[in-house]
Amino acid sequence: MVQSKKQKYLFLAFCLIPTFIMFAIFTLYPLFSGLYYSFFDWSGSSQNKEFIGLDNYIQLVKDAIIPDTIIHDYFLVVTKVIGIMIMALFFAVALTQLKIKEAPFYRIVFFFPNIMSVVVIGILWTFIYNPNLGLVNSGLEFIGLESWAKPWLGSEEWALPSLVLPSVWAGIGLFMLLLMGGISNVSKSYYEAAKLDGASEWQQFWKVTLPLIWPQVKISILYIVITTLNGSFIIVQVMTGGGPNNATHVMGSYLYQQAFVQFNFGYGATIGVMILILSLVTVLILQFIMRRDKIEY
């Protein structure tokens, strides 16, 4: 059926305008509202807002807790990227290359944490880390390592590292499936040619598999980084609340504390602007570092 230009434009408008409206309501409006409120001294519930210019940003620079929250966030970023990608790659290769009969079952098992709420995961792992009844200390005592048992979430030294394990556990399944999709699309002829050339299993992975699934690897890393910088506050809030003694505060949890606990909404909005800038800069740097020539197969 031949369509006029007017009909084509109407069809495009019908498809794009609702999407743009939703994007404007749920993304652009909160973004510019946060930037606007960062210039005010406002409790978040009062009708009175006092314009204070850059005072919130000056306070941000002077706040002694802010550098620690940034360090904690990037600690989680690095450990999650390393932990999730190593485990996801390992299981993706194993389930696609080793011809395991139970592969569909293992896919479900590994993906199961992804359908659970982060709040549920946080509560579950809070019980696992319980110093008296938790599986971690009970397991250590069972194998004779009682001296290693400790209040994991109550220790300033171990509270933040303790958040890594549940974060990695919850994220493996999604990225494993993404990488499995990439590996499944690699032609078997490349592996056969590599075997004929005498390549070992490791060389096949390093020289064949990894370069050809690099787009999926890159997307996975960027997604982990973005979701960690913008969403790690949930598991922190559920498991530690930022404690003990601010030892696990990340930028998002500190924003929540300032805006909704201490009712300093203007300063909380300023922290939100900082999170946005750091996320954008981090993603741009990673995009530059991980860029490669496209490999076709």
Side-chain angles (χ1 to χ4, degrees), residues 260-297:
F260 301 106
V261 177
Q262 299 184 13
F263 298 102
N264 193 354
F265 198 88
Y267 186 53
T270 307
I271 299 173
V273 174
M274 178 188 67
I275 296 173
L276 174 64
I277 294 173
L278 288 177
S279 301
L280 179 61
V281 171
T282 303
V283 169
L284 291 176
I285 292 174
L286 286 174
Q287 288 272 32
F288 176 78
I289 293 173
M290 295 190 295
R291 64 179 181 177
R292 288 188 177 185
D293 293 333
K294 186 176 180 181
I295 300 177
E296 297 183 357
Y297 54 89

Side-chain angles (χ1 to χ4, degrees), residues 116-133:
M116 298 173 63
S117 166
V118 178
V119 175
V120 174
I121 292 172
I123 294 173
L124 172 65
W125 279 87
T126 300
F127 282 107
I128 292 174
Y129 281 128
N130 186 286
N132 298 318
L133 303 174

Side-chain angles (χ1 to χ4, degrees), residues 6-66:
K6 182 178 180 181
Q7 289 176 318
K8 290 181 180 179
Y9 290 140
L10 286 174
F11 175 74
L12 290 174
F14 177 78
C15 295
L16 295 177
I17 289 177
T19 304
F20 178 77
I21 291 174
M22 297 295 288
F23 177 74
I25 293 174
F26 294 105
T27 301
L28 295 180
Y29 175 72
L31 175 64
F32 288 106
S33 294
L35 181 61
Y36 171 76
Y37 290 131
S38 69
F39 296 105
F40 288 85
D41 179 14
W42 184 41
S43 67
S45 57
S46 171
Q47 294 183 351
N48 300 320
K49 295 191 294 287
E50 180 185 355
F51 180 78
I52 57 175
L54 297 176
D55 286 0
N56 281 329
Y57 291 91
I58 295 172
Q59 181 183 350
L60 184 75
V61 174
K62 295 180 179 179
D63 194 333
I65 299 178
I66 289 295

Side-chain angles (χ1 to χ4, degrees), residues 212-232:
L212 292 177
I213 65 168
W214 184 250
Q216 288 85 358
V217 172
K218 180 180 177 180
I219 291 172
S220 299
I221 292 174
L222 291 175
Y223 187 81
I224 294 169
V225 171
I226 293 171
T227 54
T228 301
L229 291 176
N230 292 275
S232 59

